[in-house]
Amino acid sequence: MNELKFRNMLRKTKSQDPEKRFEALDALFEYKETPDLEVRVDLLKEVVETAASSFPDPVDVWDQPSYYLTDFVCDYAMPEVVEHLIKYFDKLSPDAKVRALELFLITEDEEIFFEIEDKIATLIHEEEVILPVEQLCEYPVFVRNVVDQVLDKLNSPHYKYMMYDFILAINESGVEPGYKKQNVLSVLLKDYQDLRREYLSYDKDYQAKYVYTSWKEDYFKLRYNMNLLLQLTNYYFTNETEEFLKEATHFNDPVIAAKAVHICMEKNLDVDKAILSKLAADLESAEMIYWDLKSSNKEHLFPNQEDKQPLIAKSKLLTHIVYLRDEEDQMIGKFPEQINVLDSIETENQYGQPIRYFLMSFKESDTEYVGWVGGFSLEDGDDTAHVWEGTYTDFVELKSKSISEHKEEFFSKRAELSQKYHEEIHYKSSPKLPTGLWFFYAILITHWGKMLINGIDDEIYISIGFTVIGLLLTVYELWKKKRSQVVIVGQDVVVTKGKNSKAMKIQDIKKVKYNKKHVQIYNKQNDIQLLIPFKWVNYDHFSHVLFEHTQHLREVPFIEE
């Protein structure tokens, strides 16, 4: 990359002219979108320092240089970048601090977590930001240590339900069951009563179609918060919460009722079998209540023990369609009715695992369409509920083709996607230029600088000679770099060195380990099949891509963090 041009862009982010700041942020976005862009650590540190400096007052929502600069460096999860972000954290904008927090969490480094606990608590005390709740909840010990300092935010309208999410994570993880019960319970009871009153204004008119085509976001928020507090009653259980739970099992919203039923069963409270059967048959709640029961090792209580897959297929198709969004991320407001199973297909996924897809029909706005739900795993039985998600509808009219033609179209589309997947590059890297070469460049630039200042003399021939040597070394190293690479393409890990290439199927990996010199990839026989020079890869990125592409396998490989 052209570092002079990049530094000029950095300077323009601080310009008093909004148009120049816009141009700079636009250029920054182009840099961010450039594939395999390599940026020196020193330059990344400059970006952090710029992000932590002062900027003119923003003129519009786009005018957030501190955030966008921080977002840029967070794509380079190197220890030096993390350390610099921690050093300058207090001077970043509030949103930039949240973006940096996301990077800190990815490190999963306890020392880093310890360093930032107080900083995050201070951020919550001083600013109203949208925290990465789901990501934070994966680290309940860290969250507990932060919440200890900001528990008063349970009374903050902005932070209240983020706090409840954190408190649920602390309880569910077993870090501290009944966390701060004396502080939490009284607030929880009051908040639930407020939500209950709001919910009851909807209950008598409840219809699923209203929820997804009319009530939408406001109701989704209410439903989520109701379920969150109901889940917390499992850990803050009293006579009053027991009455709330029993009442909620009779609510007309099957999603809320199903959550209440699950908590009642967790607390060994009697649940009317008719209610359980009703919720297990309702397409809004069928899949949810099955997995809730399974999580408690009570799936044997699920009323529909036979033909689970067709029922769950209907439930999944409903959920898929009602949450479809347009290009602007707005719900499109479609609601499928008369969902039926027409046929099924048994096939294999790209890893050779047996799966089943269901051909479905549904009616929307008086037109009957087809959709596909699957693929249901068949490895552990013919009627398992586990699905490798591939549910979709292209809103093709049912009457436009025969059943066999719809199935032919499915296989044709699947073949195209399979070919695309096998050709798709998920990860690519190559050796970096040697450190010694950069050192040579530094000496050469310094030498030429002195010569230009002091005047040209007979030593110019020596300088030219060294320059030629530098150019030849550069060409040679670039030639080697081009012929050496590590690629994860489709289902294969491919290591190329010169004319020699070695490949390994992802599903054949038993474990991945590394040391200072090499990344070692073992096959099922526990032999090292691929040995990759450590400097050839960004291991954090490489291991993450492997992790994402192996978690669905029956035998998930060990990947060293």
Side-chain angles (χ1 to χ4, degrees):
M1 66 180 296
N2 186 325
E3 292 193 4
L4 290 176
K5 188 176 179 181
F6 188 89
R7 284 194 173 91
N8 184 49
M9 177 272 297
L10 286 181
R11 285 191 292 273
K12 286 172 67 175
T13 62
K14 299 172 64 64
S15 171
Q16 293 295 326
D17 184 348
E19 187 174 337
K20 289 184 178 180
R21 292 201 301 276
F22 183 86
E23 290 173 358
L25 294 179
D26 187 52
L28 180 66
F29 178 77
E30 290 185 16
Y31 281 119
K32 182 177 173 64
E33 294 297 304
T34 303
D36 303 319
L37 180 68
E38 293 187 2
V39 186
R40 289 192 305 108
V41 171
D42 288 345
L43 192 54
L44 291 171
K45 289 181 177 181
E46 286 184 40
V47 177
V48 173
E49 291 164 17
T50 305
S53 62
S54 59
F55 296 92
D57 292 336
V59 297
D60 206 341
V61 291
W62 58 263
D63 198 2
Q64 302 180 63
S66 181
Y67 169 78
Y68 289 112
L69 290 167
T70 302
D71 180 53
F72 178 83
V73 297
C74 284
D75 288 344
Y76 300 85
M78 295 179 277
E80 298 89 344
V81 172
V82 172
E83 289 172 11
H84 224 55
L85 280 169
I86 293 173
K87 178 179 178 181
Y88 286 91
F89 185 86
D90 295 339
K91 295 181 179 180
L92 298 172
S93 72
D95 288 339
K97 290 177 181 178
V98 174
R99 181 65 185 94
L101 170 60
E102 293 171 348
L103 175 60
F104 299 154
L105 293 174
I106 289 172
T107 68
E108 299 187 338
D109 188 311
E110 291 184 6
E111 290 185 13
I112 291 173
F113 285 5
F114 179 76
E115 282 191 70
I116 65 172
E117 283 173 7
D118 293 345
K119 294 179 181 294
I120 302 306
T122 300
L123 173 64
I124 294 171
H125 273 306
E126 295 180 351
E127 304 286 347
E128 290 189 349
V129 294
I130 305 300
L131 296 167
V133 173
E134 187 175 347
Q135 192 180 359
L136 279 163
C137 287
E138 295 177 12
Y139 307 98
V141 174
F142 172 70
V143 165
R144 190 269 313 274
N145 294 343
V146 173
V147 174
D148 280 347
Q149 303 180 56
V150 296
L151 192 58
D152 60 306
K153 291 299 180 181
L154 203 52
N155 295 306
S156 158
H158 178 80
Y159 282 112
K160 180 180 292 291
Y161 288 97
M162 292 188 224
M163 296 296 292
Y164 278 131
D165 272 313
F166 297 150
I167 292 168
L168 181 61
I170 294 166
N171 279 283
E172 285 187 331
S173 66
V175 167
E176 192 173 332
Y179 174 78
K180 304 286 186 183
K181 187 170 184 177
Q182 289 185 329
N183 304 89
V184 173
L185 182 58
S186 60
V187 185
L188 188 155
L189 290 172
K190 180 183 180 303
D191 288 336
Y192 183 82
Q193 288 168 337
D194 291 342
L195 290 178
R196 175 183 172 275
R197 279 192 293 271
E198 185 181 354
Y199 168 76
L200 290 175
S201 67
Y202 289 95
D203 188 71
K204 62 182 182 298
D205 298 320
Y206 186 89
Q207 288 186 38
K209 190 169 186 177
Y210 293 165
V211 173
Y212 301 102
T213 61
S214 179
W215 299 347
K216 294 186 180 179
E217 298 296 341
D218 287 342
Y219 187 79
F220 294 152
K221 183 178 178 180
L222 172 62
R223 173 193 272 177
Y224 178 86
N225 290 340
M226 285 277 286
N227 277 347
L228 177 58
L229 297 195
L230 286 172
Q231 286 175 276
L232 281 165
T233 63
N234 197 13
Y235 305 97
Y236 303 93
F237 191 72
T238 65
N239 291 336
E240 193 169 0
T241 60
E242 180 178 342
E243 291 306 311
F244 286 146
L245 283 166
K246 289 179 178 179
E247 178 192 40
T249 63
H250 295 277
F251 285 164
N252 287 324
D253 183 333
V255 176
I256 296 176
K259 186 58 65 179
V261 163
H262 179 231
I263 302 302
C264 284
M265 296 177 79
E266 285 276 275
K267 307 306 290 186
N268 294 315
L269 301 176
D270 289 335
V271 175
D272 190 327
K273 289 184 179 179
I275 292 176
L276 185 58
S277 296
K278 178 184 175 183
L279 295 172
D282 192 301
L283 298 189
E284 271 200 279
S285 54
E287 184 181 18
M288 169 187 168
I289 200 163
Y290 173 80
W291 287 111
D292 276 349
L293 290 171
K294 189 171 179 63
S295 70
S296 303
N297 295 317
K298 295 180 179 179
E299 65 267 33
H300 60 281
L301 298 177
F302 188 71
N304 305 80
Q305 283 298 312
E306 296 182 0
D307 294 329
K308 289 193 297 292
Q309 285 186 1
L311 172 62
I312 290 176
K314 293 179 182 180
S315 183
K316 290 190 80 67
L317 185 61
L318 172 71
T319 302
H320 175 79
I321 293 173
V322 296
Y323 286 110
L324 285 173
R325 294 180 177 269
D326 60 22
E327 293 179 354
E328 297 179 355
D329 201 35
Q330 298 297 311
M331 289 180 62
I332 62 177
K334 291 188 179 293
F335 185 80
E337 299 175 287
Q338 299 180 28
I339 299 175
N340 294 297
V341 174
L342 299 178
D343 206 342
S344 64
I345 287 174
E346 293 185 12
T347 182
E348 293 182 345
N349 64 14
Q350 61 264 34
Y351 297 98
Q353 296 166 300
I355 54 175
R356 175 181 290 133
Y357 276 87
F358 287 95
L359 172 61
M360 316 288 291
S361 68
F362 63 94
K363 185 169 285 188
E364 210 285 323
S365 299
D366 296 323
T367 302
E368 202 164 13
Y369 299 100
V370 297
W372 289 92
V373 180
F376 286 87
S377 170
L378 301 178
E379 284 189 314
D380 297 320
D382 191 60
D383 196 34
T384 63
H386 182 71
V387 178
W388 289 303
E389 198 54 66
T391 299
Y392 74 94
T393 178
D394 293 328
F395 290 95
V396 175
E397 291 190 25
L398 173 61
K399 66 181 182 181
S400 66
K401 296 179 176 67
S402 66
I403 296 297
S404 60
E405 287 173 331
H406 282 300
K407 291 162 75 172
E408 287 174 9
E409 185 178 56
F410 169 82
F411 278 116
S412 176
K413 181 172 182 175
R414 190 166 172 79
E416 289 177 13
L417 291 174
S418 178
Q419 182 177 353
K420 182 179 178 181
Y421 175 82
H422 281 83
E423 295 172 352
E424 184 177 358
I425 295 176
H426 310 293
Y427 176 86
K428 184 177 181 181
S429 66
S430 56
K432 297 179 181 179
L433 291 176
T435 305
L437 192 57
W438 290 109
F439 183 68
F440 184 86
Y441 291 157
I443 294 174
L444 198 59
I445 292 169
T446 302
H447 184 77
W448 273 106
K450 288 181 178 179
M451 181 162 290
L452 291 173
I453 292 170
N454 298 328
I456 296 174
D457 55 25
D458 292 341
E459 291 185 4
I460 190 173
Y461 298 108
I462 298 174
S463 301
I464 293 172
F466 275 112
T467 302
V468 171
I469 291 171
L471 288 172
L472 292 173
L473 287 172
T474 300
V475 170
Y476 174 69
E477 291 296 338
L478 289 173
W479 177 76
K480 284 202 307 181
K481 179 181 169 72
K482 188 176 181 180
R483 288 161 50 88
S484 304
Q485 62 180 9
V486 179
V487 181
I488 300 176
V489 54
Q491 303 173 36
D492 299 313
V493 181
V494 183
V495 181
T496 302
K497 187 174 183 180
K499 295 181 179 180
N500 299 319
S501 287
K502 289 185 177 180
M504 183 176 185
K505 295 288 184 187
I506 288 175
Q507 60 265 39
D508 293 336
I509 296 174
K510 181 175 182 178
K511 62 184 177 183
V512 179
K513 302 186 75 175
Y514 72 93
N515 53 41
K516 291 181 179 180
K517 291 185 176 181
H518 293 100
V519 177
Q520 302 155 339
I521 303 182
Y522 293 75
N523 58 28
K524 298 295 185 183
Q525 290 73 45
N526 209 31
D527 297 322
I528 297 177
Q529 185 163 332
L530 294 179
L531 191 65
I532 305 170
F534 187 77
K535 292 182 179 180
W536 285 26
V537 298
N538 176 331
Y539 185 77
D540 286 341
H541 186 194
F542 176 77
S543 61
H544 175 74
V545 173
L546 277 183
F547 179 86
E548 290 293 314
H549 284 80
T550 55
Q551 288 310 291
H552 68 284
L553 296 175
R554 188 182 184 90
E555 295 181 19
V556 178
F558 167 79
I559 299 175
E560 187 173 3
E561 295 181 354

